[in-house]
Amino acid sequence: MKHNLIIADDHKMFLDGLLSILKTESNYNIIFTAKHGGHVQKYISINTEEQIDLVITDVTMPEVDGITLNKWIKENHRTIKTLVVSMHNTPEIIDDLIESNVDGYLQKNAQKEEFLKAIETILGGEKYFSKEIKDIYLQNKFEKNKEKEIKLTKREVEVISLIAEEFTTQEIADKLFLSKHTIESYRKNLITKLNVRNLAGLTKYAIKKGYVSS
Amino acid sequence: MKHNLIIADDHKMFLDGLLSILKTESNYNIIFTAKHGGHVQKYISINTEEQIDLVITDVTMPEVDGITLNKWIKENHRTIKTLVVSMHNTPEIIDDLIESNVDGYLQKNAQKEEFLKAIETILGGEKYFSKEIKDIYLQNKFEKNKEKEIKLTKREVEVISLIAEEFTTQEIADKLFLSKHTIESYRKNLITKLNVRNLAGLTKYAIKKGYVSS
DNA sequence: ATTAATATCCCTGAATTCAGTGATTTGTTG
DNA sequence: CAACAAATCACTGAATTCAGGGATATTAAT
């Protein structure tokens, strides 16, 4: 029972490399390759009779990217498995893909063995994620949870941003047309709320959240 | 006049992909491929009679990495050109390689056309760097220059790090077995030296320099 | 060897931060 | 509407920051 695969990647070299290592495995049919997600969508939409087992796709592609493609496949062709292969691995992308039920995720610098293992695992009905990807994902979840419940109000965000931008209490009060005492209250509440010790802690929080650029 | 190339990369897939796009060009001989730099060093050392034009190498490889390999080639076999191809591109690596006279640098996600153009350019005696690499390199140089002259001493770095970690003056003094007054002096000098206004500014500087994690 | 830089310590006084407490107003949500 | 969250302002008092001075000993550099 041969499996039918589709590969989508706009990098000729990666495509060739992948084809070469898949060629050594006799039980995979590469039925279609594409330079971007739109071609894959079209192919799948037209060839409704053909059994398609797995779509291997890059994330960054022109026109229709891998994230969109994966979402589309999972919404319209639930039975087709997907394996995403990417150069850049931000927590956001990984999270997004896992949320939309991708079956596997590898970094492009994975070794041949891992590629084959991932494909096998996915075709066997299980999910496969490389160690690095799992680490990034868990790290992200962990941090998110650690910082949950702490929600700053609009005003608090304004104040902490200005604090991190090195303005004094009086300057912030003037800027926001508030009393100096109010800003002092905000500062104090922020320190309590965010469980930090002083301005340094507030500044680090503001940077981490992107309220200011370091 | 055919050119003789060597390729070093521990990723089978990348190697295969590169070979496949080079095969379409009839004037390149791939005379040797290797999984790490040591093999290339050995090959070059033994085959002294053979004309070797270009070594294409990955950065991260087991045993002898691409940076070491490039340095070795440039020191011992000046006439051999080198092209580095890498996944990860930190300013440090790029800087290091350019300093040791690498002839080209590409990201692994480059397109076929760019690979061929880079090889051609280098064999023609010129250097070739992808736009991204040039940007990273220049950005780095630019920032370095912008922040030059401001050099913190070891002690100052210690102090600013601890400040950014939210320790109080007294705590820092205790930690470093110094007087509280000394730390106050350091704080004051740092504020002057770094041209910031307060703790928030010091903290941002410490984060930007990586003395603390935000 | 002389200068320059680094590391260390000290003082004053004004300004600010920080912890603790509390009050009023407005808007939101069950 | 009642309860609650958000936004605003106020006061006290201790601790710390910050700006401005200096001083001395050791190390590095020219």
Side-chain angles (χ1 to χ4, degrees), chain A residues 4-11 14-20 22 29-36 39-40 54-58 61 69 83 85 119:
Chain A
N4 290 334
L5 314 192
I6 290 176
I7 307 176
D9 199 306
D10 59 322
H11 298 95
F14 179 84
L15 207 60
D16 285 350
L18 194 51
L19 288 175
S20 96
L22 289 178
N29 267 334
I30 315 299
I31 55 173
F32 185 62
T33 63
K35 277 198 195 322
H36 78 259
H39 292 154
V40 177
L54 173 63
V55 173
I56 301 174
T57 177
D58 190 13
M61 291 184 293
L69 177 61
L83 169 60
V85 177
I119 293 171

Side-chain angles (χ1 to χ4, degrees), chain A residues 143-156:
Chain A
E143 287 194 350
K144 278 261 171 58
N145 283 331
K146 225 176 46 187
E147 283 158 18
K148 224 191 301 187
E149 347 276 4
I150 305 180
K151 258 168 207 152
L152 301 190
T153 66
K154 260 176 296 168
R155 243 341 183 204
E156 285 174 327

Side-chain angles (χ1 to χ4, degrees), chain B residues 11 14 21 50 58 81 94 106 112 145 154 191 211:
Chain B
H11 298 97
F14 179 84
I21 67 167
E50 195 167 30
D58 191 13
K81 307 287 184 190
I94 295 170
L106 286 181
K112 172 185 175 177
N145 283 333
K154 262 176 294 169
I191 287 174
Y211 299 148

Side-chain angles (χ1 to χ4, degrees), chain A residues 165-177:
Chain A
E165 281 170 45
E166 298 171 61
F167 291 109
T168 65
T169 300
Q170 188 59 63
E171 286 170 346
I172 296 171
D174 293 345
K175 254 180 216 296
L176 302 181
F177 303 104

